[in-house]
Amino acid sequence: MIVAPPPAGPVPYAKERATALLRDMVRIRRFEEKCAEKYGEGKIRGFLHLYIGEEAVAVGALHALEASDNIVATYREHGHALVRGLPMSSIMAEMYGKREGCSRGRGGSMHLFDAKTRLYGGNAIVGGGLPIAVGLALADKMQGIARVTACFFGEGAMAEGAFHESMNLAALWKLPVLFCCENNLYAMGTALARSESQTDLCAKAASYAVPTLKADGQDVVAVHEATLAGQRHVREGKGPLFVEYQTYRFRAHSMFDAELYRKKSEVEAWKTRGPLHTFSARLKAEGKLTEEEFLALDREAMDEVDRAAAFAEAGTPEPVEDLLRDVVAR
Ligand SMILES: Cc1ncc(C[n+]2csc(CCOP(=O)(O)OP(=O)(O)O)c2C)c(N)n1
Ligand SMILES: [Mg+2]
């Protein structure tokens, strides 16, 4: 096991970098709050899985990667798409199912995709991204391209055969994959310990001879440092590496979830370790952020969200005559 540098002590970044991390977490939070609101109004429909509470993972991890790296994500991927640099307006338009969306309104919340920024989904299938990531990494290795493919997935995906096959091949062929497990303790309503005999996720990954790292997923610094170490290992051609980010979702699994499987007190306890307020409090205590700067940053995020929502509202639904476009039949 590679051990990440301990995150204890002051935030090891200058003000600009620290603010960039905080800004992206706030952007994700405000974006998703708006999505929940628009879902209630019936403007966004279908499935909607919020990432609220887990923002430090996407932000800390993606900020540790290169723009030329590949990203593969799950259906809980709004944050990854935002940090990757997709315009918020094109993400919001996709949520609305409008043609101006990043997947031309055909994917919705679970299928954000953008080849330009190498965001290879967004995938409704649990574990579905894992073989895609291995394939992308194999293609890079065969072409001699030095690139990391970061694959995000939930701990629930580790019960899928695709996880085991992907880990095995990536390790066997020393492929440049950074396996990023977002362990939020639940797969829909099923707690990890209720369905798995082995709850030590790093032990599972290690059984494929893949080195592992564990990070506090509520701490953006810990996530960033672990991912920096992890991507370095992969980029140096040493093969895949598995990182477990220990995190928690504050909201329901999706918009259809009565949350009967966990106690309110458990959710409240995790909220005391919320990634936004703990990091902003830390920065303020260290003199790297003032309350005014925080409010300004939050205001900017809300304005960006409002502009994105207005853009999506004004967008166009796909015309009926386009329905068979890109549909292949044999
Ligand atoms: C192959 C497959 N099986 C079942 C489902 C239904 N399903 C949707 S989300 C989910 C839970 C996945 O949990 P996890 O991987 O931990 O991700 P999280 O939702 O916690 O981010 C399940 C079982 C699915 N989408 N795909
Ligand atoms: Mg989960």
Side-chain angles (χ1 to χ4, degrees), residues 54 75-76 153-157 182-188 190 249 253:
E54 305 187 35
Y75 46 81
R76 206 181 291 286
F153 53 92
E155 85 295 341
E182 306 181 306
N183 178 12
N184 61 9
L185 300 174
Y186 294 94
M188 294 181 83
T190 306
R249 65 172 154 72
H253 166 76

Side-chain angles (χ1 to χ4, degrees), residues 2-13 213-216 219 221-226 229 282:
I2 298 173
V3 180
V11 173
Y13 316 130
L213 276 172
K214 209 177 275 205
D216 177 354
D219 177 354
V221 175
V223 169
H224 192 59
E225 293 298 312
R282 217 166 141 191

Side-chain angles (χ1 to χ4, degrees), residues 99-254:
R99 234 183 350 177
E100 292 77 5
C102 57
S103 305
R104 287 205 273 121
R106 289 185 163 196
S109 159
M110 300 198 285
H111 300 103
L112 304 177
F113 186 98
D114 183 48
K116 209 162 63 252
T117 56
R118 312 193 81 85
L119 176 74
Y120 290 97
N123 198 320
I125 307 301
V126 173
L130 286 147
I132 293 174
V134 172
L136 287 166
L138 176 61
D140 285 336
K141 182 158 182 162
M142 290 176 77
Q143 294 173 93
I145 297 171
R147 178 163 37 224
V148 173
T149 294
C151 181
F152 292 82
F153 53 92
E155 85 295 341
M158 292 181 63
E160 295 285 346
F163 169 79
H164 299 275
E165 293 168 2
S166 300
M167 290 294 284
N168 182 57
L169 265 195
L172 189 65
W173 292 344
K174 283 207 170 327
L175 301 179
V177 185
L178 186 65
F179 290 98
C180 301
C181 178
E182 306 181 306
N183 178 12
N184 61 9
L185 300 174
Y186 294 94
M188 294 181 83
T190 306
L192 184 63
R194 197 181 164 94
S195 59
E196 293 298 300
S197 58
Q198 172 59 279
T199 55
D200 182 342
L201 304 178
C202 287
K204 274 194 173 180
S207 73
Y208 289 99
V210 171
T212 63
L213 276 172
K214 209 177 275 205
D216 177 354
Q218 300 309 93
D219 177 354
V220 71
V221 175
V223 169
H224 192 59
E225 293 298 312
T227 313
L228 280 171
Q231 61 87 38
R232 200 175 301 126
H233 170 98
V234 176
R235 211 176 296 283
E236 284 168 359
K238 295 177 181 161
L241 185 135
F242 173 96
V243 193
E244 174 191 349
Y245 305 101
Q246 298 180 316
T247 185
Y248 198 80
R249 65 172 154 72
F250 294 169
R251 297 289 184 101
H253 166 76
S254 69

